[in-house]
Amino acid sequence: MRRSTTPAHGAAPVHLGMPSFPRAAAEAVHDRTLRANLRHATHTIREKRAGAVAELDDWDRLREAGKRIKDHTLRHLDRYLEQLEEAVTGAGGAVHWAEDAAEANRIVTALVKQTGEREVVKVKSMATQEIGLNEALRAEGIAAYETDLAELIVQLGDDRPSHILVPAIHRNRGEIRDIFADRMGRWGRPAPEGLGDDPRELAEAARLHLREKFLRARVAVSGANFMVAETGTLVVVESEGNGRMCLTLPETLISVVGIEKTVPTWRDLEVFLQTLPRSSTAERMNPYTSMWTGTAAARARDGDGPRTFHLVLLDNGRTGVLADDVGRQALRCIRCSACLNVCPVYERAGGHAYGSVYPGPIGAILSPQLRGIGSDIDASLPYASSLCGACFEVCPVAIDIPEVLVHLRERVADRGGAGRRLEKAAVKAAGWLLDHPGALAAVERTASRTRALLPNRPPGAGAWTAERELPELPPEPFRDWWRKNRT
Amino acid sequence: MTPPEPRACHTPQSSRGRILARVRAAVAGAPEAPEPARDHLASHAPGDPADLADLLHANLADYRAVVHRTDGPGLPALIARLLADHGARSVAVPDGLPDHWLGDADAERRTDEEPLTTRRLDETDAVVTGCALAIAETGTIVLDGGPGQGRRALSLIPDLHICVVRAPGQIVASVPQALPLLDPARPLTWISGPSATSDIELDRVEGVHGPRRLEAVLLTGAQR
Ligand code: SF4
C-alpha cells in the first residue's frame, strides 16, 4: 500500500507521516544498500546520457527549440487546450476536465464503472501517481494493475516510487527477486519456482505474470508524454511494450494527462522525440513509441485499438504554477529524469526523501508549487539542493532549476517563524549530506547567488538572503568538488 | 507560430470553464514568448541513400535487432529460413502482405481477414510485416497499419516479428524527415529494436512484453 492520502481540497497527496526533507534524507543516508544502488544506477546512466547527447551537433539548438515551443504553448495554453479538445472530440474521443485530484479520480472511477469492469491495466504515468488514482480506484473496489516492470516491483513491494523513469531504482536485483517470489502469487500468476536474480530471469517472470492480465484486460489507464493540439494525437514513449499492450488491446482507454503536456503542432514532435530518449534512457530512440488520435484507428479497421477513448485533462495546481513568473518554467518539464541522475543531493538522499511522486531537482521545484508550501516537507524541498547547477545543464528544455529554487526559498522565508526553522534544518542537512567540508560553504553561497539573481530586490523582501552575513568564500567550492567527483 | 483563435466562451461554472479562466488569468500579464528558431538540423546523417541503409542497419543492430539484406527474389527463402530457425510453426499474416513473401515458408499461415483474437495471436509464433518507413539515424521502424502491416495487435503479441523495409525507398535519415511523411490519423508504432527494459539496476535487458525477437530485413535491389 502506498502510504498516501488525498487532502480534502483535492490537491496531490502528501505521503502520510512524511518527515521534512532533512529528516527523510538523513534516514536515507544511513541506508547503505539504497545509497549503493542509487550511486551505481545514476552514475551508469549519467555517462551514457552524455554520450547520446554528444552524438548530436545541434543539441543546444534542439534544447532551445524545446524550451521555446513549451514557453509559447504555455503562453497560449487556453487556446491550445481548446484546439486539442476539438481535435480529440472530432476523432471520436471524449474530453473531460479535472480541476484537482479528487475530480480526476471521480471521473476515472465513474468511467471504469460504466464499463462494468472491476480491474484496469495501467501504463506508468506520473499524473495518475500524483493524484493517487490507484488508491481511489481501490476504495471503489476496482483493482489497478501497474504493468511497467519497475512499477510492478513498487506495487508488489508495497513501496513508493523513487525515480521518475526507474521507479524501483532503490531496489537491487536480490531484493527484486525476493519481492517477485513472495508476492506475485497474491496478484495473479506466481513467480516461477527457483527464481534467480538475473535481470533476464526477472524480466521473464514479469512477462509471464502480466501476460494474462493484458490478454483479458478490457479497460486501460495511461498518461501521455505529449498531446498534439493541432491533430489531437497522443504520444506514449516506452521501452517494454506494456504500453503498446495497454494502448492496443483493451476496449476502453482512459488517459489522464496534465494540461502542460500539450504541444501545438505535429512538427513540434521532431524536437522532443530527439531530446527525450537521449536525455532519459540515453538511447537514440526508445524501443517503442505509440501515437493515436481519438478512436480513428478502431473506426477505420475493425478491432484495431480501443473503441472508446477518454482524455482527462488535469489541472491540479498547474494553473497556479503558470501564474508564477519565475516558477512557471517548471511546466516545460518533459519528465526525462536527467536532472535526478546528475544531482549529488538526490544520489545521497534517494527519491523517497522528497515526499512526492516527483523526486530530485524537478520535484524540489514542482511539488512545493503544485501543493503549496504549507507542509514541512514541501517547505523544506526548495533547500534540497546545493545549487550546483548540474540539473540546469542537462535539462533538455533548459529549466533553470536553481533560479526557481532560490525563488521558492524566498517564499518559504517570507513565511517567518516556521519557515526559518525549516530553512535552518534543511541547510544543515544539505551540507551534511554532501559529506564534504566545501559543501556547507556551497550552501552558504546560495545567498550570494540569490543576490546576484535579484539585484533590484528591495531590502528585506528576500528574508533568507537579506538577514545573513555572508562569510568570505573561496570561489565556487562546491563546483570544484562536483567537477572532481561527478563521474 | 500563430496560436489558434480563441473559441467562444463556454459555461464558466464548469470545471472546463474554470480551468480555462485560470489559465487566461495566469498568463494575462506574461510577456509574449519568442518564436522557436527551429535552426536545428534536418538530419545528422550522410545524404547518400546507400549510406543511409548502412546507418539504419548499424543502428538497428546496436539495439539488438537482427538485420538481414536480400533482394526481391531472395526474400521468400530468407523469410522461410528465419521462421524455421526460430522454430515458428505458425505465422500471422496481415492484410495486404504480398503473397509470395511467405511463398517458401512451412509455417501455418493465419490471416486476419476474420480478425484474429487476442488469444489466437498469443498462440501464434510469429508475424511478418512491411512498414511505413524507417529512420536511419535512430534505428527506428515505423508501422502505420497500412497494407502488409496489419492491426497493431498482430505486430505486438507474437514473440517473433520479421519486418521488411524497402531500401532505399522507405528509409529516411532523421526524425524531422519522418514526421511529415506520417499521417497522425493512423495508429503509429515506432519500433527501435526489440522490447527492452532497464528497470533492474539500469542494466538493459531485451525482451519483456513486446516481441522479444525483431528480425529486420532490408529489401534491396530488384524488389520482385
Ligand atoms: S526538469 Fe528537465 S531534466 Fe529534469 S526531468 Fe524535467 S525535463 Fe528532465
Side-chain angles (χ1 to χ4, degrees):
Chain A
M1 182 174 59
R2 242 176 63 214
R3 288 155 62 76
S4 59
T5 181
T6 305
H9 63 280
V14 176
H15 298 296
L16 260 192
M18 195 66 217
S20 65
F21 181 81
R23 264 186 51 214
E27 283 160 23
V29 168
H30 288 300
D31 185 338
R32 300 185 58 160
T33 313
L34 171 75
R35 286 192 63 176
N37 292 356
L38 267 180
R39 189 181 155 77
H40 168 73
T42 54
H43 283 243
T44 310
I45 193 76
R46 195 184 284 180
E47 279 162 53
K48 285 192 201 154
R49 187 211 73 98
V53 165
E55 275 187 15
L56 300 186
D57 302 335
D58 58 339
W59 184 259
D60 289 342
R61 281 172 276 168
L62 284 166
R63 185 175 183 246
E64 184 65 19
K67 172 186 176 200
R68 290 198 185 184
I69 291 168
K70 285 281 187 174
D71 279 347
H72 169 88
T73 315
L74 292 168
R75 179 63 185 79
H76 302 282
L77 189 59
D78 53 330
R79 300 195 211 168
Y80 286 120
L81 287 171
E82 289 179 322
Q83 190 188 24
L84 173 74
E85 177 185 47
E86 198 169 291
V88 170
T89 311
V95 177
H96 311 261
W97 300 70
E99 289 193 81
D100 56 24
E103 186 173 18
N105 288 334
R106 270 199 311 275
I107 292 170
V108 176
T109 306
L111 291 171
V112 175
K113 283 187 171 171
Q114 266 173 32
T115 67
E117 292 296 312
R118 283 286 166 205
E119 61 178 47
V120 303
V121 286
K122 279 190 69 203
V123 197
K124 177 171 169 315
S125 138
M126 303 299 298
T128 59
Q129 283 171 26
E130 176 190 321
I131 62 176
L133 177 64
N134 291 5
E135 292 76 7
L137 287 172
R138 191 174 50 219
E140 297 288 326
I142 297 162
Y145 295 114
E146 295 291 351
T147 63
D148 173 78
L149 177 53
E151 290 289 350
L152 177 71
I153 296 165
V154 168
Q155 191 174 46
L156 291 175
D158 283 352
D159 204 353
R160 285 186 285 114
S162 66
H163 188 275
I164 291 178
L165 182 74
V166 198
I169 199 168
H170 57 289
R171 298 286 197 189
N172 64 28
R173 59 186 72 193
E175 295 173 288
I176 295 168
R177 191 217 78 91
D178 293 346
I179 292 170
F180 279 10
D182 287 353
R183 307 286 177 89
M184 271 184 171
R186 292 188 211 171
W187 292 77
R189 181 170 173 158
E193 282 295 313
L195 180 68
D197 68 359
D198 180 63
R200 236 158 280 277
E201 251 182 274
L202 295 170
E204 171 68 10
R207 177 186 175 93
L208 294 170
H209 177 77
L210 288 172
R211 193 88 177 172
E212 54 164 13
K213 293 195 166 44
F214 289 134
L215 296 184
R216 70 162 187 246
R218 322 258 316 228
V219 183
V221 175
S222 84
N225 295 90
F226 307 101
M227 306 187 284
V228 182
E230 171 187 56
T231 60
T233 309
L234 269 71
V235 181
V236 166
V237 170
E238 55 137 351
S239 296
E240 296 168 12
N242 60 311
R244 291 176 69 190
M245 292 277 178
C246 293
L247 300 169
T248 306
L249 301 183
E251 283 160 18
T252 300
L253 172 61
I254 304 167
S255 299
V256 181
V257 190
I259 52 177
E260 83 284 13
K261 297 282 162 195
T262 313
V263 298
T265 68
W266 179 243
R267 185 187 167 192
D268 293 327
L269 293 175
E270 76 183 29
V271 173
F272 301 110
L273 289 179
Q274 294 193 76
T275 52
L276 177 56
R278 289 178 198 260
S279 298
S280 59
T281 48
E283 293 165 308
R284 291 184 197 99
M285 190 62 83
N286 49 289
Y288 299 134
T289 297
S290 296
M291 304 178 178
W292 74 97
T293 302
T295 54
R299 283 179 299 155
R301 193 202 309 257
D302 189 37
D304 191 355
R307 287 193 182 82
T308 309
F309 171 60
H310 295 278
L311 172 60
V312 181
L313 294 172
L314 179 70
D315 179 348
N316 204 35
R318 286 160 176 75
T319 48
V321 183
L322 189 60
D324 186 314
D325 287 342
V326 178
R328 70 164 65 97
Q329 57 185 308
L331 296 177
R332 292 202 295 257
C333 176
I334 56 174
R335 311 275 190 266
C336 72
S337 71
C339 58
L340 279 64
N341 299 332
V342 297
C343 179
V345 174
Y346 174 83
E347 181 188 324
R348 285 161 180 75
H352 292 155
Y354 294 80
S356 130
V357 298
Y358 302 109
I362 180 60
I365 61 169
L366 200 54
S367 307
Q369 294 200 83
L370 287 175
R371 306 192 297 207
I373 49 175
S375 71
D376 277 9
I377 177 72
D378 288 324
S380 62
L381 281 176
Y383 299 93
S385 166
S386 65
L387 303 190
C388 74
C391 48
F392 170 62
E393 275 174 44
V394 297
C395 178
V397 285
I399 300 172
D400 192 340
I401 294 176
E403 183 190 14
V404 182
L405 286 167
V406 168
H407 171 72
L408 293 173
R409 285 176 187 190
E410 292 186 341
R411 274 176 39 190
V412 172
D414 286 346
R415 273 176 44 186
R420 287 304 306 273
R421 176 176 55 72
L422 276 168
E423 172 212 336
K424 280 203 183 104
V427 168
K428 214 170 115 214
W432 174 72
L433 262 180
L434 292 167
D435 202 21
H436 184 275
L440 192 59
V443 176
E444 297 285 3
R445 273 188 62 72
T446 316
S448 65
R449 178 160 181 151
T450 313
R451 272 199 211 136
L453 281 170
L454 305 161
N456 301 322
R457 190 152 273 266
W464 197 80
T465 48
E467 294 173 18
R468 195 164 260 83
E469 280 299 312
L470 287 176
E472 285 301 311
L473 294 170
E476 308 207 322
F478 182 76
R479 268 178 187 275
D480 294 347
W481 176 86
W482 170 240
R483 293 223 163 86
K484 267 189 272 143
N485 292 282
R486 66 190 306 169
T487 48
Chain B
M1 280 195 280
T2 323
E5 286 303 307
R7 308 291 199 272
C9 255
H10 293 250
T11 43
Q13 301 89 335
S14 66
S15 295
R16 178 186 190 283
R18 280 190 295 269
I19 291 172
L20 288 172
R22 279 203 299 271
V23 169
R24 287 183 192 114
V27 298
E32 189 49 62
E35 281 288 307
R38 297 187 196 276
D39 55 357
H40 52 275
L41 301 174
S43 143
H44 305 84
D48 187 329
D51 292 344
L52 280 188
D54 289 345
L55 185 61
L56 176 67
H57 188 145
N59 282 336
L60 277 167
D62 195 29
Y63 287 146
R64 313 290 161 80
V66 183
V67 188
H68 311 269
R69 296 192 188 211
T70 185
D71 58 9
L75 185 62
L78 176 61
I79 290 177
R81 178 171 70 74
L82 294 176
L83 288 168
D85 285 353
H86 286 287
R89 280 165 306 177
S90 53
V91 55
V93 184
D95 293 352
L97 193 83
D99 275 342
H100 66 279
W101 284 14
L102 285 167
D104 290 358
D106 293 328
E108 178 203 332
R109 298 181 206 182
R110 297 181 177 169
T111 65
D112 198 39
E113 278 150 25
E114 187 66 36
L116 292 161
T117 63
T118 304
R119 296 277 168 194
R120 184 78 170 147
L121 284 168
D122 193 37
E123 294 156 1
T124 303
D125 297 324
V127 61
V128 176
T129 73
C131 70
L133 56 80
I135 305 169
E137 259 183 47
T138 56
T140 304
I141 297 171
V142 184
L143 305 190
D144 72 354
Q149 299 167 56
R151 294 181 298 130
R152 283 172 286 175
L154 266 71
S155 47
L156 174 61
I157 300 177
D159 207 17
L160 168 65
H161 182 188
I162 300 173
C163 186
V164 179
V165 181
R166 296 177 195 274
Q170 288 188 310
I171 306 177
V172 299
S174 65
V175 173
Q177 289 179 5
L179 282 165
L181 302 176
L182 295 168
D183 177 1
R186 306 187 71 98
L188 299 174
T189 306
W190 297 43
I191 298 172
S192 309
S195 160
T197 183
S198 303
D199 280 352
I200 301 166
E201 299 179 8
L202 284 176
D203 258 358
R204 188 178 161 109
V205 174
E206 276 79 31
V208 198
H209 305 296
R212 283 180 287 188
R213 285 156 306 174
L214 175 65
E215 304 266 355
V217 178
L218 305 187
L219 181 59
T220 54
Q223 308 228 321
R224 173 55 246 198

